[in-house]
Amino acid sequence: MPGDDHRLIITIVKKGVAGKVVNATKEAKIGGGTVFLGRGTANKKLYRQFFGIDYEPEKEIIFTLVEQEKLNAALEIILRETKLDQPGKGIAFVIRVREIIGQISMLNSQKKDGGLAMNASLKDCPVKFDLIVTIVNDGFAEDVIEAAKGAGAEGGTIIHGRGSGIHENAKLFGMTIQPEKEIVLTLVDTKKTQQILEAINEAVHLDKPNTGIAFVLDVEKAYGIHHLTK
């Protein structure tokens, strides 16, 4: 099924906030979301300097798939529930979806409900970003993070392969991630993407068999990155 008219919103917030976001988007008939548990790795001094808060490593990552015409309404709800317009509350970014398989009935039912009128103002970050997704064997995520930081990234978020149930495996972008894998999400300035990719490859040897994979996704919008909007 074509997905050009859909967007994936990825929201990263501190533990305990994701439930409010999912419930709010469901109530607005925009859809729900899939929540992953992870941990942040950003520089603690950066958090104190720019955000004025203590660093909290436990994170929740929410994947929300929406129709493009409902994107702004969904972002308004996420902003309201997470307070991303305030420093230190988290970040959200939008990725274009090329193709969708599954969840067709859910998407079709959304079309019957119409759009939402929201009035809050969204301030997109002026810096252009890419999302580097790196999938590696368990225990190598920290190496990915350190390499990315050394090449200019500010940090990243690590997701473990195990899903919410004890016998479940996590799924990311339609791929099943086995429990011995770790996924690293790194939001980077597009000007630094190539150098960060090269640093990650050098650190964990992705060019060798059975070590992992990394790919880059275009980010259309980004919110909550306040120190880059000043």
Side-chain angles (χ1 to χ4, degrees):
M1 176 180 176
D4 289 346
D5 57 345
H6 288 80
R7 298 294 184 269
L8 177 66
I9 306 171
I10 299 180
T11 309
I12 302 175
V13 291
K14 65 181 181 180
K15 190 175 181 180
V17 177
K20 295 192 297 182
V21 174
V22 173
N23 289 336
T25 52
K26 281 183 178 178
E27 290 175 4
K29 301 187 185 302
I30 289 177
T34 301
V35 179
F36 296 89
L37 294 179
R39 69 180 190 274
T41 61
N43 187 292
K44 296 180 181 179
K45 291 182 179 179
L46 179 73
Y47 264 67
R48 172 57 63 182
Q49 178 182 355
F50 289 116
F51 301 149
I53 61 171
D54 291 325
Y55 175 63
E56 298 180 24
E58 289 188 311
K59 302 294 179 184
E60 291 177 329
I61 303 96
I62 313 155
F63 284 24
T64 310
L65 184 67
V66 300
E67 296 177 51
Q68 184 177 4
E69 65 186 32
K70 295 184 178 181
L71 175 62
N72 284 340
L75 287 170
E76 297 281 4
I77 291 172
I78 291 171
L79 177 65
R80 182 190 72 209
E81 297 298 328
T82 62
K83 298 180 173 59
L84 292 184
D85 55 334
Q86 300 177 17
K89 296 298 184 179
I91 62 173
F93 45 93
V94 180
I95 296 173
R96 180 186 296 272
V97 177
R98 290 183 55 190
E99 188 172 349
I100 300 171
I101 299 175
Q103 299 295 313
I104 296 176
S105 60
M106 180 273 288
L107 295 173
N108 288 340
S109 67
Q110 289 179 16
K111 293 181 180 179
K112 299 176 183 178
D113 297 320
L116 294 178
M118 308 293 287
N119 297 318
S121 175
L122 288 170
K123 185 178 181 182
D124 186 11
C125 180
V127 178
K128 298 302 180 183
F129 290 97
D130 286 329
L131 177 66
I132 300 177
V133 181
T134 310
I135 302 173
V136 290
N137 294 323
D138 187 30
F140 286 89
E142 294 291 349
D143 293 337
V144 172
I145 292 293
E146 290 305 314
K149 284 183 178 179
E154 293 185 355
T157 301
I158 299 171
I159 306 173
H160 293 283
R162 181 67 72 185
S164 58
I166 190 168
H167 297 299
E168 295 178 2
N169 293 327
K171 286 192 175 183
L172 184 67
F173 304 111
M175 299 183 295
T176 299
I177 309 301
Q178 299 300 324
E180 67 274 11
K181 302 293 184 183
E182 293 178 317
I183 307 101
V184 183
L185 305 181
T186 312
L187 191 66
V188 302
D189 186 326
T190 56
K191 297 176 182 177
K192 300 179 180 179
T193 299
Q194 191 58 40
Q195 68 191 50
I196 293 172
L197 267 178
E198 291 174 358
I200 291 172
N201 182 46
E202 184 176 346
V204 295
H205 308 292
L206 296 178
D207 51 345
K208 295 183 179 180
N210 303 317
T211 56
I213 186 173
F215 52 93
V216 180
L217 300 173
D218 293 331
V219 174
E220 289 192 348
K221 299 174 181 289
Y223 303 92
I225 310 175
H226 297 272
H227 64 287
L228 294 180
T229 62
K230 297 178 180 179

